[in-house]
Amino acid sequence: MAMTIAAPAKASRNLTVGISLGLVLGSVASLLTPYAASVAGLADISNRDAVNGLKDALTRGSQAAVARLGVEDGFLKNNSVRIGLPPSLRSAEAVIRSIGMRTQADELVLRMNRAAEAAVPQAKTLLTGAVKKMSVQDAKGILTGGDDAATQYFKRTTSEPLAKQFQPIVKKAMEKVKLAEKYDEIAASGARFGLVKEEDANLEDYVTRKTLDGLFVVIAEEEKKIRQNPAGAASSIIRKVFGALRN
């Protein structure tokens, strides 16, 4: 008789334990669900959305830089990128101005900057192409890199082809300037005596290089804007990706 009573009691205890265990597991599962969703969200951002968001940001940023510089006075009136004579030739510039050739000296500086402004729009296709070719690894490196990681990517992948595109435009623009030949003569003499850097001894090379430098300066400024204020970006995917990086 006692054994008959004990069996139901044991079954009842097992049932109670089973129900309690089920409730505990159910509670744990409910707690883990948001965590799992959060992990999935981070993974989503760090993969597909990271690449898409970055490509969108770089395309917009590079196009904004080209738009700022590729217009009249884009270089000339921007002190961050304005092209003047190399520091080693500033004394020669002072002499030129002192002997009544101020107009010609001003014309040389003006034409150097106009050449840069004419060349920069050619960068748009190459910069866009560099974005399209970007790998997932490139994207992750840029997202976790410094404030100018994207600019450094552009430098690494586009500097050489950009220089080749810019130089013919610069050459054509400088052919009309009387002092251009004089620049090369003075700079070449200075280079022989170590007074002028070899890379500055040819006017076309100098203007081409300074055009590239100016372009990357402004691309870096556009990149910094996006990193510091992703909420102000026009694209939702840019806000999502760069906003996550700042959190």
Side-chain angles (χ1 to χ4, degrees), residues 50-228:
V51 176
N52 291 339
L54 182 62
K55 286 186 174 183
D56 192 6
L58 264 60
T59 299
R60 290 171 184 266
S62 60
Q63 289 179 356
V66 169
R68 285 172 58 186
L69 293 174
V71 294
E72 186 171 310
D73 293 337
F75 272 81
L76 188 65
K77 297 293 178 67
N78 183 338
N79 289 333
S80 297
V81 299
R82 185 178 187 271
I83 302 174
L85 289 178
S88 52
L89 284 181
R90 296 284 165 78
S91 57
E93 180 182 15
V95 171
I96 290 170
R97 292 179 183 279
S98 69
I99 60 174
M101 297 182 69
R102 177 181 296 274
T103 300
Q104 290 92 327
D106 289 341
E107 176 74 3
L108 177 60
V109 172
L110 173 66
R111 290 302 168 191
M112 288 194 296
N113 286 275
R114 289 290 184 259
E117 292 157 7
V120 158
Q122 303 302 313
K124 191 173 181 179
T125 301
L126 279 171
L127 294 172
T128 302
V131 172
K132 289 179 179 178
K133 293 175 184 175
M134 182 184 296
S135 68
V136 173
Q137 197 62 36
D138 288 329
K140 288 184 177 180
I142 292 169
L143 286 170
T144 57
D147 284 347
D148 68 341
T151 304
Q152 294 304 318
Y153 169 79
F154 277 131
K155 279 187 178 181
R156 190 170 65 252
T157 58
T158 66
S159 288
E160 189 174 338
L162 281 174
K164 289 179 180 178
Q165 279 205 341
F166 287 174
Q167 196 148 23
I169 298 170
V170 170
K171 181 178 181 179
K172 185 176 180 180
M174 300 311 298
E175 282 175 349
K176 305 171 184 177
V177 184
K178 292 180 181 178
L179 269 183
E181 289 183 10
K182 288 294 181 185
Y183 171 100
D184 287 342
E185 289 177 15
I186 295 169
S189 297
R192 283 196 295 272
F193 292 102
L195 302 175
V196 177
K197 293 179 180 179
E198 286 288 345
E199 61 187 13
D200 295 340
N202 179 275
L203 185 62
E204 293 167 18
D205 292 342
Y206 171 71
V207 175
T208 298
R209 193 180 73 258
K210 297 301 288 184
T211 302
L212 279 172
D213 291 346
L215 175 60
F216 291 130
V217 164
V218 177
I219 287 177
E221 291 175 357
E222 293 296 328
E223 178 182 2
K224 189 175 181 181
K225 286 180 190 176
I226 293 172
R227 288 185 184 274
Q228 291 187 342

Side-chain angles (χ1 to χ4, degrees), residues 8-24:
K10 184 177 181 181
S12 177
R13 284 197 302 275
N14 290 341
L15 179 61
T16 301
V17 171
I19 292 172
S20 299
L21 183 59
L23 290 172
V24 170

